Amino acid sequence: MKSNPKSPSRLSTKSMRHLAENAVGNHTIIHLTGHPVSLSPSSLKRWEQIMDMSGAAASYCDFTEADGTPHPLIAYQTGSVRDDFDFGHAMMVNTQFLHETVSEMTEDFVYAGWYDLRLRLSRKGPILHIPESLYSVSDIKEEDGEKAHFAYVDPRNRDLQIEMERAATAHLTALGALVTPIMREKTDVRAGVFPVEASVIIPVRNRKRTVADAVMSALSQEAPFRFNVIVVDNRSTDGTSEILADIAASDTRLKIISTDSIVDHEPGIGGCWNIAVNSPDCGRFAIQLDSDDLYSSPDTLRTIVEKFYDENCGMVIGSYTLTDIHGNTLPPGLIDHAEWTDENGTNNALRINGLGAPRAFFTPVAREIGFPDVCYGEDYAMGLAVSRRFKVGRIYDSLYLCRRWEDNTDHAPGRERINRNNLYKDFIRTLELNERIKK
């Protein structure tokens, strides 16, 4: 059976119930988008054959765009709980499981009906990715990647996000993976002796155009405590090292660590962070600044450190403003992650793709947990791990200017890189879910 549920929303609980009421046969195809899908009889037979052989609760497959371009998708993991997981344009569901699952759905979601359904289906059986192109799709319009990426922090989408959070929280509760404030470990941010109160951590490789701006933004902070700036120079070859040396010659607060003197390989950003936080120069609090970004005011460090002491946090996360290279604000402007709440933020963090910036850590916590030695998702992995165990303080005012320009590592990523990044973050979520279930 094919379905294209509509009012009030294609993916509402009402539409899922209507779908189940009309579903007959062993399998039901759910059309997830408004794009026309072409499925041949032989492909339909193959799809049903795979469903029967695998015993999956639901499955999805690669597809081909109208011009013949292949569109590969990624495997579904236990941790694929984010609400923007790309299933393509159609899914095949075991009809028996569909009937059972819909009968168990208790909330009437306007936006999160499908999300609620597929999370519940994943608890009944595998959600299988078929690495075969079984249908084609026409009239696909290119989506604004930046707009789509930040849709979950757009205030206009708040009602949708609240529903998604409720569905995700119910799923984590059913898995035994929900973390509550009472489960947090205590930490004393006043404990220990450190060379300075705070260290700004800047990993860098070949950023001669922007690194001086970043470093000077950090050195110009005004605070009633001692701080330094630790730059981990990851084998730069474009003149970045010389720029840093010139600044260090006039300001001893700048500490430069060259990775080629520490490790025999080129570490990822996470590896650079591990080097920095374990340095004898690292202060009580380690505070992030990317090599092409800026702090929004000279009070950023002071504001973050005060939050650590006010709430005895293991981690503090600020808010940032999206700008171009010249500091002009770009849509959507302020990214404040207002979806974070003290009660449920650590759970809701599994549903979304980022936690905000700047990110700051009580150094003993960062040293104990450690960053994965990768160049994407290392901060997200650390944030999930810290939030599982310790209180995370949130600042909703803009502390940071995240500058978009042509040499950003996340500028105009292709399909292969998007898939690779999403696959890795789902892997991190899977590990994190396992730990939360144990906890």
Side-chain angles (χ1 to χ4, degrees):
M1 173 189 173
K2 292 184 181 179
S3 176
N4 193 359
K6 295 185 183 297
S7 180
S9 163
R10 177 193 305 278
L11 305 179
S12 67
T13 304
K14 181 178 179 179
S15 292
M16 297 302 107
R17 290 192 177 117
H18 176 75
L19 171 62
E21 288 169 2
N22 292 277
V24 295
N26 295 328
H27 311 105
T28 300
I29 292 180
I30 303 178
H31 189 184
L32 299 173
T33 72
H35 300 296
V37 171
S38 297
L39 180 68
S40 70
S42 61
S43 292
L44 177 59
K45 181 179 179 180
R46 173 61 175 161
W47 201 341
E48 291 188 296
Q49 179 188 53
I50 293 172
M51 283 287 292
D52 289 335
M53 294 172 69
S54 65
S59 64
Y60 61 102
C61 59
D62 298 343
F63 62 93
T64 304
E65 296 177 16
D67 61 0
T69 302
H71 194 115
L73 301 175
I74 62 173
Y76 193 92
Q77 305 174 57
T78 305
S80 299
V81 294
R82 54 192 168 90
D83 58 40
D84 65 349
F85 189 92
D86 186 4
F87 292 105
H89 300 268
M91 286 194 75
M92 183 176 286
V93 180
N94 178 297
T95 302
Q96 180 182 341
F97 285 155
L98 174 64
H99 288 148
E100 291 176 5
T101 304
V102 167
S103 71
E104 296 163 0
M105 294 169 70
T106 55
E107 292 226 43
D108 285 313
F109 291 123
V110 175
Y111 308 102
W114 160 245
Y115 181 52
D116 184 27
L117 175 63
R118 66 100 158 167
L119 290 176
R120 290 172 179 272
L121 283 170
S122 73
R123 302 199 297 268
K124 290 187 176 293
I127 293 184
L128 178 68
H129 169 234
I130 303 171
E132 301 175 15
S133 183
L134 298 180
Y135 64 86
S136 62
V137 181
S138 58
D139 297 335
I140 298 179
K141 292 186 174 74
E142 193 66 33
E143 189 172 25
D144 183 335
E146 196 87 329
K147 182 178 179 181
H149 180 74
F150 291 109
Y152 67 101
V153 291
D154 189 330
R156 293 171 296 182
N157 295 330
R158 191 73 188 112
D159 289 346
L160 180 151
Q161 293 303 319
I162 290 172
E163 283 199 2
M164 296 294 186
E165 178 178 355
R166 278 165 37 202
T169 301
H171 178 62
L172 296 178
T173 302
L175 292 177
L178 198 73
V179 175
T180 61
I182 199 172
M183 298 164 69
R184 292 175 184 151
E185 299 175 29
K186 302 294 184 183
T187 186
D188 180 5
V189 297
R190 291 170 173 78
V193 178
F194 299 86
V196 292
E197 185 73 350
S199 292
V200 176
I201 309 298
I202 308 177
V204 64
R205 175 175 168 81
N206 293 342
R207 283 288 185 268
K208 67 176 182 179
R209 181 177 171 186
T210 61
V211 70
D213 290 343
V215 170
M216 296 311 297
S217 171
L219 291 172
S220 63
Q221 291 294 295
E222 299 173 1
F225 49 77
R226 293 177 61 230
F227 69 90
N228 61 24
V229 179
I230 301 176
V231 175
V232 182
D233 185 2
N234 196 7
R235 293 165 164 81
S236 293
T237 59
D238 69 340
T240 292
S241 303
E242 290 75 13
I243 292 170
L244 292 170
D246 287 344
I247 299 173
S250 59
D251 196 326
T252 58
R253 293 177 299 167
L254 176 57
K255 312 296 180 182
I256 304 170
I257 303 174
S258 298
T259 60
D260 56 6
S261 66
I262 302 291
V263 291
D264 59 4
H265 66 284
E266 183 180 315
I269 295 172
C272 291
W273 262 89
N274 289 332
I275 290 170
V277 298
N278 286 288
S279 161
D281 290 318
C282 191
R284 182 180 303 275
F285 306 112
I287 302 171
Q288 168 250 344
L289 179 60
D290 287 350
S291 59
D292 47 8
D293 294 335
L294 307 172
Y295 290 142
S296 60
S297 85
D299 297 321
T300 292
L301 280 195
R302 178 186 56 78
T303 301
I304 291 172
V305 168
E306 286 176 355
K307 176 63 74 168
F308 272 109
Y309 284 114
D310 288 346
E311 300 185 12
N312 220 30
C313 309
M315 179 180 181
V316 170
I317 306 173
S319 301
Y320 62 93
T321 301
L322 204 65
T323 75
D324 63 18
I325 191 66
H326 305 294
N328 301 307
T329 301
L330 298 174
L334 177 67
I335 309 296
D336 61 2
H337 284 275
E339 79 283 345
W340 181 283
T341 63
D342 188 52
E343 296 76 19
N344 204 42
T346 184
N347 300 302
N348 202 28
L350 287 165
R351 182 183 65 84
I352 60 179
N353 255 333
L355 301 180
R359 299 167 293 276
F361 308 92
F362 180 40
T363 296
V365 168
R367 286 172 174 170
E368 177 192 349
I369 296 174
F371 292 82
D373 189 5
V374 294
C375 284
Y376 177 83
E378 76 292 332
D379 51 345
Y380 184 65
M382 175 64 89
L384 289 179
V386 174
S387 71
R388 172 178 15 105
R389 297 175 51 190
F390 302 100
K391 180 175 177 56
V392 173
R394 282 301 325 275
I395 299 170
Y396 298 101
D397 298 322
S398 179
L399 303 180
Y400 190 95
L401 302 182
C402 181
R403 300 197 291 178
R404 286 289 192 260
W405 62 302
E406 66 276 5
D407 205 25
N408 274 143
T409 54
D410 55 358
H411 176 73
R415 170 61 46 192
E416 181 180 354
R417 196 166 93 194
I418 290 172
N419 281 349
R420 183 171 64 248
N421 290 348
N422 284 334
L423 189 68
Y424 179 70
K425 276 196 172 178
D426 284 350
F427 169 72
I428 291 299
R429 292 183 181 96
T430 299
L431 296 179
E432 186 62 30
L433 268 177
N434 290 339
E435 286 302 305
R436 293 181 182 208
I437 291 169
K438 291 178 190 175
K439 187 178 179 71

